[in-house]
Amino acid sequence: MVSVNRRLVGLALGSALALGGTVAVPAATAAPAGAPSACGHLLSNSYIYERWSDLGGVNGMLGCPRTNVLNVKSANGTKLGKRQYFDSGNVTFSPRQGQEMVVAAWERNGYAYFNWGPTDPFHYDVFLVRYTSAADAGGTQVTLRGGTSGGMWVQKHTSGTYSFKVEGCDKGTFGLKCRQGWTLSATTRN
């Protein structure tokens, strides 16, 4: 029953995003450490595993893992989060923006998709999303409604990779206050 529910959540999430909507992303639940995939790579981070599973697992939006979970480090070697690459994109755990914050990007049928959340314990008035591609190296920034999670899609204008990141902000007297900063990026696969 759990796998059927995950597939239904993944289908609902994918369908809502394909229609141009924003959706709430379920919070991650604990997955078995080192949970094997049907594709030969371990899904050892529970938050990455849960997002992959919510998006349909092996037969879903992301497809098979192409790597094991990798550490994302800053230039000085500080560990910032974790990332795993899949057939159609990647999922990145970015805990500075929320204890269970995960960002995911993938491509399908000429569109690049991006979702994020949950930002708990933070709740925001708006989200700023930046994305870049070979067709738009300078990047584009959009402002979306706030909350604790969301998603968006864009029509691809290049066969290359799209890279996304998000920042939660609150409205203040003199503009936006974005205290937690930008997430780590998530990219589609070209």
Side-chain angles (χ1 to χ4, degrees):
M1 186 66 170
V2 172
S3 63
V4 171
N5 287 338
R6 284 186 178 148
R7 286 187 187 140
L8 291 175
V9 169
L11 288 172
L13 178 62
S15 298
L17 289 171
L19 295 172
T22 58
V23 296
V25 178
T29 58
S37 81
C39 307
H41 291 283
L42 296 178
L43 289 147
S44 58
N45 180 277
S46 62
Y47 304 116
I48 292 173
Y49 173 86
E50 187 66 26
R51 183 62 53 86
W52 173 77
S53 184
D54 287 345
L55 290 170
V58 171
N59 298 314
M61 302 301 171
L62 293 162
C64 286
R66 293 188 296 129
T67 66
N68 288 330
V69 173
L70 307 168
N71 288 322
V72 179
K73 295 182 180 181
S74 68
N76 68 4
T78 302
K79 189 172 108 178
L80 301 175
K82 297 192 177 280
R83 176 175 291 134
Q84 188 157 16
Y85 293 90
F86 296 85
D87 287 340
S88 295
N90 73 51
V91 178
T92 303
F93 172 55
S94 188
R96 285 185 350 184
Q97 289 76 25
Q99 297 166 352
E100 300 176 0
M101 179 63 148
V102 175
V103 294
W106 66 96
E107 58 185 60
R108 191 174 214 102
N109 300 324
Y111 291 89
Y113 298 87
F114 177 60
N115 72 26
W116 63 90
T119 61
D120 299 329
F122 311 112
H123 185 280
Y124 299 105
D125 294 332
V126 297
F127 287 110
L128 304 178
V129 177
R130 286 188 189 163
Y131 61 93
T132 59
S133 70
D136 183 15
T140 299
Q141 180 170 301
V142 296
T143 303
L144 302 173
R145 70 181 175 159
T148 59
S149 59
M152 63 171 282
W153 56 268
V154 297
Q155 186 171 11
K156 291 185 68 172
H157 295 289
T158 180
S159 59
T161 299
Y162 276 66
S163 180
F164 295 88
K165 59 186 175 179
V166 64
E167 180 175 39
C169 302
D170 293 313
K171 296 176 184 174
T173 304
F174 302 105
L176 294 177
K177 293 183 187 240
C178 310
R179 293 183 176 95
Q180 280 68 49
W182 292 96
T183 62
L184 298 170
S185 64
T187 58
T188 64
R189 178 160 186 211
N190 58 359

